[in-house]
Amino acid sequence: MKNQPLKALNNPDIPGVNLADLKVLMVSSEAVPFAKTGGLADVAGSLPPALVRQGVEAALVLPAYRTILESGYSWRPVIGNMPVPLGNAMLPTDVLEGETEEGVRVYLIDREDLFNRPNLYGNRHGDYYDNLERFSFFCHGALRLANALSITPDLLHLHDWQTGLIPALLKGPYWDWPNLTGMPTVFTIHNLGYQGNFGSDRLWVTGLSHSQFYHADGLEYWGSFSLLKSGIVYAHAVTTVSPTYAREIQTDQGGMAMAAVLRSRGGDVRGILNGVDYGIWNPETDPHIETHYTLRDTTGKGRCKAALLRELHLDANLMEAPLLCIISRLDEQKGFDLLLSAIDGIMETGAGLVILGSGKAWISHALSEAQNRFPGRMALRTGFDVNLAHRMIAGSDIFLMPSLYEPCGLTQMYAFKYGTVPVARGTGGLEDTVLSFDPPTREGNGFKFYSYDALDFLQSVQEAVRLYRKRPVWEQLMQNGMKMDFSWDRSAKAYTDIYRSIKR
Ligand code: ADP
Ligand code: GLC
């Protein structure tokens, strides 16, 4: 089978996306419930079923990471030894197929030496040294899969730098492949901070020709090449995950040296707010939490809080005080320097603080040092623990998000549903979803501050703690958040409109 011409793989036995008049193949480097490091996985996992509810046929391609192969889902081999280029080599890879509970078909690009590893992107030493190779290979693999399906998708929806090579590949080596010629692409930016930039001497790994692609209007980016830029420049449509972030990234201040590239698209970068999968994040049905509760009867939330305090060995007297919570990647983006500068003042309010995070060592060291200073009142859990994340959101009172920037942010939207009130910096999707509480009218769902300043953050937390002690007002605030509806349908409709506008 090695080096078999791809045509022979265009096989009616390999199921394709079918039925609907609009068929989308979603390409992502992570998706729930299979593999997750952050919000991208939540989106790539819940957008496809939301599209299906809009009458769109959606399938998903992922790398066959070890966590997926060992997840207990069943996978069928559909293509064996599909030849996929990597630099000058042609490497055989398998493609596996499975299905989510909602009936979304999932394909895995299964090349053991590239993806069957302990983590998705790296280890304690940093990013895997061959991520360029891994994700170039993934992009070629996804295109060859799209070409081989018995029914060709109408378009590809791509997410973040790991898939950014695809629009360039479609203009380069695949431009005349019968099923791929003119294939429309939507490229969604979840985080401009991750750009997939690599030294220009490694462009050959991607299979793109230097002369066609390495220039200012192509992948060239400050002397390197950028896979994020490839997506922005060559995709038919570019979106990001909130309207405010769409505006911010086109300014020199918020554009992370990519603003001019984004502006060069002539204002067509659309911000579509992410949705929430209320099948997963809902205190009425959440299987991970101590007691269910509802908008009408929130008494169960108190039991969730008591259980959380016990689980984290915190002082039971915190039942009378607000419990603050952070669930986050430990990264500068999330505002940990503000938190660390404000932490003494925050703890002086008498509140408790629980943090779940994984990421940078300097942040976990600093947080663990703070934890030692506030025994019984502060608990830090490091690592990635989805079940604990649910218990923490349900069991706390106030959710802190002092982000430096936040493309959308999902956790504040989850927090609303659980009656956990956010204190957030007004940036990106936080600006679009958190509405400052106005005591006279009792409108609003949280607390917001704007300058990236520890004192402003502290004052917002103090204000939240003060209102927490005024029970009827606080109940109203909780209810305002719990009533918010961020379900996926509206956003899925917005994506569908874009798909229809670029369909071949
Ligand atoms: P980002 O994508 O920037 O990390 P989001 O708010 O969009 O931020 O999404 C973060 C997602 O990852 C949420 O589902 C959140 O619950 C989850 N998460 C973050 N850190 C952890 C962790 N340490 N353990 C479990 N879940 C986590
Ligand atoms: C990113 C962003 C986050 C967003 C998520 C999903 O990682 O940091 O704000 O919610 O992607 O779009």
Side-chain angles (χ1 to χ4, degrees), residues 68 147 184 210 220 235 244 250 255 297 331 343 352 363 371 380 476:
I68 304 187
N147 187 70
H210 204 275
E220 193 275 329
T244 295
Q250 297 186 65
D297 180 3
D331 189 273
I343 201 159
I363 300 175
Q371 175 183 232
L380 168 69
Q476 177 74 58

Side-chain angles (χ1 to χ4, degrees), residues 39-40 43 190-191 241 274 329 333-334 406-410:
L40 167 60
V43 174
H190 294 261
N191 195 328
V241 288
N274 289 329
R329 286 183 289 114
Q333 176 196 340
K334 302 296 180 174
E406 196 61 74
C408 176
L410 293 167

Side-chain angles (χ1 to χ4, degrees), residues 138-200:
F138 176 56
C139 289
H140 280 275
L143 282 177
R144 284 167 182 245
L145 166 68
N147 187 70
L149 291 171
S150 58
I151 300 169
T152 311
D154 294 314
L155 60 100
L156 305 179
H157 188 163
L158 317 168
H159 300 267
D160 274 354
W161 75 262
Q162 293 89 341
T163 62
L165 184 62
I166 287 178
L169 289 175
L170 285 165
K171 300 257 188 282
Y174 297 92
W175 76 273
D176 60 348
W177 281 43
N179 296 336
L180 300 180
T181 307
M183 172 67 79
T185 50
V186 178
F187 183 63
T188 298
I189 301 167
H190 294 261
N191 195 328
L192 203 67
Y194 298 85
Q195 304 186 339
N197 298 335
F198 299 93
S200 56

Side-chain angles (χ1 to χ4, degrees), residues 284-298:
E284 292 186 33
T285 51
D286 191 332
H288 306 294
I289 63 177
E290 176 78 8
T291 310
H292 292 152
Y293 55 93
T294 64
L295 179 66
R296 265 187 235 102
D297 180 3
T298 55

Side-chain angles (χ1 to χ4, degrees), residues 248-302:
E248 288 172 349
I249 57 178
Q250 297 186 65
T251 65
D252 291 339
Q253 201 193 359
M256 297 184 160
M258 206 58 94
V261 178
L262 287 156
R263 285 196 300 261
S264 74
R265 292 206 51 114
D268 76 346
V269 177
R270 289 265 317 266
I272 300 175
L273 196 71
N274 289 329
V276 172
D277 186 341
Y278 290 120
I280 298 176
W281 297 97
N282 185 346
E284 292 186 33
T285 51
D286 191 332
H288 306 294
I289 63 177
E290 176 78 8
T291 310
H292 292 152
Y293 55 93
T294 64
L295 179 66
R296 265 187 235 102
D297 180 3
T298 55
T299 45
K301 186 167 175 66

